[in-house]
Amino acid sequence: MSEKFSATLRIGDLNDFIAPSQGCVVSMKSGSARLADKPKLAKAAPAKETLQTDPVKISLKDCLACSGCITSAETVMLEKQSLDEFLSNINNGKTVIVSLSPQSRASIAVHYGLSPVQVFRKLTTLFKSLGVKAIYDTSCSRDLSLIESCNEFISRYKQSRLDDKESKSFLPMISSACPGWICYAEKTLGSFVLPYISSVKSPQQSIGAIIKHHLCHKLGVRPSDIYHVTVMPCYDKKLEASRDDFVFQDQDQMTTEVDSVLTTGEVIDLIQLKAVDFSNLDESPLDKILSNVSEEGNLFGVRGSSGGYADTIFRYAAKTLFGHDIRGPLDFRTVRNLDFQEVTLEVDGKTVLKFALCYGFRNLQNVVRKLKIGKSDYDYLEIMACPSGCLNGGGQLKPKPGQSGKDLIQALETAYMENVLVTDPFENPIVKILYDEWLEHPGSEKAKQHIHTEYHPIVKSITSQLNNW
Ligand code: SF4
Ligand code: SF4
């Protein structure tokens, strides 16, 4: 397979990513980028014939998250969200905060043969030496997203049991943490699927809201004076950060919850750019105010390398609705392939909860088709665009020479849970403080304002359709 393909595409099943296209779907004609074609759901092919050597600039708003730029030889430079912008903001004296995803931490840990907590400490050293003020962990904000999701599920489940026509559209509730899936749903599936998608923001956007709305207020700092960067396993997160829903007014100017997103690979580029011997870098104390780390230095989190949504909500629903306190791992059964697994709860011989993990484009298409024809009997679907989920995101690090994609995923799964104490998000002391000081309680008006969002079906304009003709 061509070296032009991303590491992840080389290790994964190319055809199972969302809409890999042969070239950028945004037309570069007339000096400014404009939409030329919708993402094609076609088999990707090496794109020799589309080779274009000059870098082309397009804006994130134009990008359709079709993954084309990682499957084609076209050189596409996104105008924002780059390493250059990150470094220039530090140099311009902005207060920079970095939030690190646990998937990126695991990828860097496997790459260097370190533990995730060592990576967290070394990255703290690296970023602080560059001038970053604080480094947090999105496992912490994920607990907040999980609590809000549990609360939303219980409410939808109860409403779905009401005997009226509308009750049908409350379930299945579908996870909302994957922007690849959200982008596909909005741009391709339209309004029929959007009511099923959870309104809860992803961990990336939740930590953005915590920092820009709560922390800034607490510290008496203007949100626009903070430059907040996340480190994420995929490029899709850059698109998520640039959504209009996450832009807000700060006095006389607009600001965003997440100003920039670096992929895991871009952090390695930074390490190389600064010629840092990462393996031998000193380990700094962690910033604990928004990180899931205990006094003893253990990380804590939930089971499930794509956020643990199905796992956490299933346990919560089983306990809250049916009084079943499930300890230990859930009994997920593989249905068609490892990327499609389901778990059920039976009470008095009747299935009362049916959840599924559904990863990769092929599985996603199947569940959506069933939903469309009214044949879905799931209560909850954890949908992730990438096969194998977030550990296999398009921004993660490639396998070492001689290492297979399968072996890398296995190593990432192990590293992801290394030093991690599995804990109930409802017991997270930091999240408890966030509710006490700011959000009041799960599902409150303040929580809806800051930790929930909306989705918008994209209606294609006549002009864009004529362009495609
Ligand atoms: S992901 Fe965005 S930039 Fe890349 S090819 Fe698709 S539309 Fe173009
Ligand atoms: S499944 Fe892939 S595209 Fe979706 S959030 Fe995870 S890494 Fe990103």
Side-chain angles (χ1 to χ4, degrees):
M1 198 173 282
S2 166
E3 281 300 307
K4 301 285 184 193
F5 286 76
S6 75
T8 307
L9 292 178
R10 271 183 270 128
I11 64 168
D13 177 354
L14 181 65
N15 301 330
D16 202 15
F17 277 84
I18 280 192
S21 81
Q22 293 180 34
C24 181
V25 294
V26 180
S27 169
M28 309 302 167
K29 290 175 202 160
S30 313
S32 67
R34 62 189 171 84
L35 303 187
D37 200 356
K38 63 179 181 179
K40 294 182 180 64
L41 307 183
K43 188 175 174 179
K48 279 186 202 141
E49 59 285 354
T50 59
L51 187 68
Q52 182 182 321
T53 48
D54 292 338
V56 176
K57 285 197 172 189
I58 68 160
S59 88
L60 281 170
K61 294 267 184 280
D62 291 325
C63 175
L64 298 176
C66 75
S67 298
C69 56
I70 55 170
T71 60
S72 81
E74 220 168 22
T75 313
V76 177
M77 279 174 49
L78 298 175
E79 278 179 341
K80 238 180 140 246
Q81 316 280 14
S82 69
L83 202 49
D84 290 349
E85 193 190 90
F86 166 66
L87 292 171
S88 81
N89 271 283
I90 293 179
N91 295 337
N92 291 343
K94 276 255 183 181
T95 301
V96 180
I97 296 178
V98 171
S99 299
L100 175 67
S101 72
Q103 291 85 6
S104 300
R105 200 168 60 194
S107 182
I108 297 171
V110 167
H111 186 76
Y112 286 104
L114 300 165
S115 72
V117 77
Q118 282 179 305
V119 168
F120 198 2
R121 290 194 172 121
K122 286 176 189 286
L123 284 179
T124 302
T125 307
L126 171 72
F127 283 126
K128 289 202 170 170
S129 73
L130 297 173
V132 171
K133 291 290 181 294
I135 293 93
Y136 301 128
D137 157 31
T138 59
S139 314
C140 180
S141 60
R142 183 184 61 200
D143 281 348
L144 179 57
S145 295
L146 285 168
I147 291 172
E148 288 296 320
S149 300
C150 286
N151 187 66
E152 182 183 352
F153 180 79
I154 299 300
S155 155
R156 280 177 179 255
Y157 192 93
K158 287 179 177 167
Q159 281 174 297
S160 75
R161 290 329 190 235
L162 299 176
D163 200 15
D164 60 42
K165 265 191 192 164
E166 280 187 11
S167 65
K168 283 201 167 21
S169 63
F170 288 108
L171 292 179
M173 177 165 130
I174 307 180
S175 60
S176 54
C178 170
W181 150 243
I182 296 296
C183 207
Y184 176 70
E186 288 182 329
K187 288 173 174 160
T188 311
L189 303 174
S191 52
F192 103 85
V193 80
L194 301 184
Y196 295 102
I197 301 178
S198 164
S199 61
V200 177
K201 286 182 185 174
S202 70
Q204 166 172 282
Q205 294 311 133
S206 288
I207 200 155
I210 296 167
I211 289 171
K212 292 285 182 110
H213 295 291
H214 179 59
L215 196 62
C216 283
H217 179 73
K218 214 171 145 180
L219 300 176
V221 180
R222 280 187 61 181
S224 47
D225 288 339
I226 301 281
Y227 187 75
H228 176 218
V229 184
T230 59
V231 177
M232 289 285 144
C234 61
Y235 292 87
D236 306 57
K237 286 284 174 189
K238 296 178 188 247
L239 300 168
E240 179 180 62
S242 71
R243 285 172 72 90
D244 289 341
D245 304 84
F246 307 137
V247 177
F248 62 100
Q249 187 84 36
D250 174 28
Q251 295 176 21
D252 54 345
Q253 68 183 101
M254 301 302 282
T255 188
T256 51
E257 292 173 348
V258 176
D259 296 282
S260 185
V261 178
L262 298 178
T263 62
T264 315
E266 285 169 317
V267 171
I268 299 301
D269 291 346
L270 176 68
I271 290 170
Q272 287 167 356
L273 184 76
K274 297 290 173 188
V276 170
D277 178 3
F278 192 73
S279 299
N280 293 312
L281 200 61
D282 288 346
E283 293 179 20
S284 295
L286 300 174
D287 291 316
K288 293 191 181 134
I289 62 164
L290 287 176
S291 299
N292 273 4
V293 58
S294 67
E295 285 304 323
E296 300 76 39
N298 282 309
L299 301 167
F300 50 96
V302 292
R303 292 183 183 87
S305 55
S306 295
Y309 282 82
D311 192 291
T312 306
I313 298 169
F314 189 88
R315 286 170 200 279
Y316 184 76
K319 192 172 174 187
T320 309
L321 297 169
F322 304 102
H324 283 243
D325 194 0
I326 306 170
R327 303 283 164 117
L330 294 182
D331 185 19
F332 276 100
R333 290 179 299 279
T334 300
V335 181
R336 288 186 197 89
N337 48 64
L338 282 174
D339 274 344
F340 199 113
Q341 300 190 23
E342 61 182 40
V343 60
T344 54
L345 179 72
E346 292 193 4
V347 174
D348 299 331
K350 198 171 158 245
T351 300
V352 290
L353 290 177
K354 188 172 181 184
F355 281 35
L357 304 177
C358 169
Y359 297 168
F361 184 56
R362 195 176 301 137
N363 289 325
L364 185 164
Q365 259 191 324
N366 283 333
V367 289
V368 167
R369 198 177 300 126
K370 279 197 171 172
L371 185 58
K372 207 166 186 174
I373 58 173
K375 289 260 161 81
S376 171
D377 59 352
Y378 290 108
D379 297 308
Y380 185 83
L381 293 166
E382 181 182 299
I383 292 186
M384 296 288 155
C386 297
S388 303
C390 293
L391 286 174
N392 190 28
Q396 295 281 75
L397 303 175
K398 63 184 175 184
K400 296 250 169 73
Q403 187 181 35
S404 71
K406 210 171 152 198
D407 288 348
L408 176 60
I409 293 292
Q410 193 75 54
L412 289 169
E413 296 274 1
T414 306
Y416 186 79
M417 292 309 285
E418 196 181 335
N419 309 121
V420 174
L421 301 173
V422 175
T423 32
D424 180 355
F426 285 82
E427 298 304 319
N428 187 328
I430 298 169
V431 177
K432 281 184 182 173
I433 292 171
L434 289 172
Y435 278 114
D436 286 347
E437 291 184 350
W438 178 42
L439 298 171
E440 296 168 359
H441 57 84
S444 70
E445 282 311 309
K446 280 193 179 164
K448 283 187 184 137
Q449 183 189 345
H450 294 296
I451 309 296
H452 291 245
T453 185
E454 291 177 346
Y455 311 105
H456 319 279
I458 306 296
V459 181
K460 287 178 77 182
S461 70
I462 297 269
T463 318
S464 77
Q465 292 188 46
L466 286 174
N467 275 339
N468 297 340
W469 202 37

